[in-house]
Amino acid sequence: MTGDASGTGIDSTVPHSARIWNYWLGGKDNYAVDRLAGEQTIAVLPEIVDIARASRGFLTRVVRYLAADAGIRQFLDVGTGLPTADNTHEVAQRVAPDARVVYVDNDPLVLTHARALLTGSAEGATDYIEADARDVDTILHGAAATLDFTRPVAITMLGILPFISDDEEARGIVRRLLAAVPAGSYLAITHSTSEASGERVIEAVRQWNAVAPTPYTLRSPAQIAVFFEGLELIEPGLVPCPRWRPDPDDGDSARDMDEYCALGRT
Ligand SMILES: C[S@@+](CC[C@H](N)C(=O)[O-])C[C@H]1O[C@@H](n2cnc3c(N)ncnc32)[C@H](O)[C@@H]1O
């Protein structure tokens, strides 16, 4: 992204987490301040770029699995992020043009880009709700305009739960969303850990939290597993993202990574 953001209400002088994530993903929706902040994290944790891309790789594979193998036609994507290649509706509608997708994010910058998320197939539907994940009632009420909550829904919470630091609050959000969907629905999560990089990732998060408005929280695999309590985990269970049903040309899919993922079925 280049040029002056004046008049847009978007501050291009302060680094912004969604734009930094976009920078790590190789996107263009970022400013010099974001690239500088992104490079500062890379200096401490060079694998962050691989982490961001592997996390999006999981999105592609899990949404494709849900649409193609599990027959899911409805998706609730909480913590959408800036549009990039292979957004949830694009992956789902490639398999099933009638797939219906509701995006949720609380970031005003994501809202300004949401138009790119609302260009789905004629047979399907996409919608965007600006809401905080904590505001489950608003999300469910808004999503009901597009999704039929008597039929299975896949809830995807990719990279968002680290922004809800309080364990009980995070679990409560997940529980309330799951309570709204019928049997045969799914929950997909990606979440950062410190299993692989230890002190380095902890230091990167410490630096991040020193400047970021919303603190970021790492959780252990055992803490992440709690989000799936009562659900049947789909093989291979809770694993580093590269290990979740890799595509044949995915490269070293056995590698460790501080981004775990899982898919559970209600
Ligand atoms: C790391 S990005 C992940 C984006 C995308 N899901 C992906 O996996 O590439 C996390 C997203 O969650 C959003 N987010 C963080 N806290 C949130 C909250 N309390 N309510 C709604 N969205 C939130 C951020 O604005 C950001 O877009």
Side-chain angles (χ1 to χ4, degrees):
M1 190 187 285
T2 54
D4 191 346
S6 61
T8 62
I10 292 166
D11 191 345
S12 60
T13 63
V14 177
H16 187 285
S17 69
R19 295 193 307 239
I20 298 170
W21 185 251
N22 175 270
Y23 173 61
W24 291 332
L25 286 173
K28 298 269 178 286
D29 293 317
N30 47 73
Y31 294 104
V33 280
D34 308 308
R35 295 190 279 276
L36 184 64
E39 286 297 334
Q40 279 165 357
T41 302
I42 291 171
V44 181
L45 193 69
E47 59 267 48
I48 188 67
V49 171
D50 192 25
I51 287 174
R53 293 175 190 191
S55 161
R56 286 302 291 198
F58 170 72
L59 181 154
T60 302
R61 299 194 304 282
V62 79
V63 171
R64 197 176 58 211
Y65 170 87
L66 287 162
D69 298 299
I72 290 291
R73 294 292 177 267
Q74 307 194 96
F75 295 82
L76 182 58
D77 181 335
V78 184
T80 304
L82 287 172
T84 175
D86 278 347
N87 302 296
T88 298
H89 75 281
E90 289 159 337
V91 180
Q93 291 180 350
R94 258 199 309 267
V95 177
D98 58 336
R100 307 176 76 79
V101 179
V102 174
Y103 292 106
V104 180
D105 208 290
N106 69 345
D107 186 325
L109 179 66
V110 175
L111 175 67
T112 66
H113 287 259
R115 195 185 304 272
L117 299 169
L118 304 178
T119 55
S121 67
E123 303 91 318
T126 57
D127 196 11
Y128 181 86
I129 299 170
E130 187 184 26
D132 194 290
R134 297 172 180 84
D135 199 351
V136 174
D137 290 343
T138 298
I139 293 172
L140 294 175
H141 184 259
T146 304
L147 306 181
D148 174 357
F149 281 97
T150 67
R151 301 174 63 82
V153 177
I155 301 166
T156 59
M157 303 188 79
L158 309 183
I160 180 177
L161 288 168
F163 291 101
I164 313 284
S165 296
D166 184 85
D167 284 343
E168 259 323 297
E169 188 169 43
R171 288 173 198 163
I173 292 167
V174 172
R175 267 198 304 267
R176 287 169 63 206
L177 287 170
L178 285 172
V181 295
S185 294
Y186 287 84
L187 171 70
I189 286 176
T190 60
H191 201 301
S192 306
T193 70
S194 58
E195 294 298 291
S197 317
E199 191 48 45
R200 283 189 307 110
V201 68
I202 292 168
E203 176 55 24
V205 169
R206 201 178 290 132
Q207 286 186 14
W208 177 276
N209 286 346
V211 293
T214 309
Y216 195 84
T217 301
L218 301 167
R219 291 190 170 92
S220 67
Q223 287 173 306
I224 300 168
V226 173
F227 293 120
F228 292 94
E229 255 172 24
L231 272 60
E232 171 203 347
L233 278 187
I234 304 302
E235 285 294 326
L238 177 64
V239 291
C241 287
R243 297 188 195 169
W244 199 91
R245 296 175 178 259
D247 287 333
D249 56 358
D250 269 355
D252 177 14
S253 57
R255 65 193 189 279
D256 268 339
M257 179 175 282
D258 274 324
E259 191 70 8
Y260 274 56
C261 65
L263 177 66
R265 187 177 193 272
T266 62

